[in-house]
Amino acid sequence: MSQSNPLLLLGHGTRDANGRQAFLDFAHQFQNYDASRPVIPCFLELSDPLIQTGIDRCVEMGHQELTVLPVLLFAARLR
């Protein structure tokens, strides 16, 4: 595979549409900054796409390994 492993940007999630869009915009800008690999935004909870959707997307793209970067403004945990 010629591309590097995808980068899964993991946000906490929010019910606020503007907050969700701000995270997606950040992911888009990050992709523009580093075009060497796919940047896939996803969320822990409360917003789509959820983390499993992001992982599934990476697998559908043919990747077996990925890098996950939490982008959280405060401590978060999975339930």
Side-chain angles (χ1 to χ4, degrees):
M1 194 168 291
S2 61
Q3 286 186 333
S4 299
N5 292 333
L7 177 63
L8 206 66
L9 286 183
L10 180 60
H12 183 269
T14 179
R15 290 185 180 94
D16 181 80
N18 291 329
R20 178 185 179 276
Q21 190 59 52
F23 180 80
L24 296 175
D25 292 345
F26 171 78
H28 178 75
Q29 290 299 319
F30 198 97
Q31 179 68 80
N32 289 338
Y33 174 75
D34 180 8
S36 69
R37 61 183 174 175
V39 175
I40 311 294
C42 61
F43 299 96
L44 286 174
E45 62 181 357
L46 305 175
S47 300
D48 288 324
L50 293 175
I51 188 170
Q52 187 62 56
T53 302
I55 293 168
D56 292 345
R57 183 169 170 208
C58 293
V59 171
E60 289 169 4
M61 294 168 63
H63 295 280
Q64 295 179 352
E65 295 182 14
L66 55 96
T67 302
V68 178
L69 177 61
V71 182
L72 306 170
L73 300 178
F74 54 89
R77 64 176 181 219
L78 291 173
R79 295 180 220 211

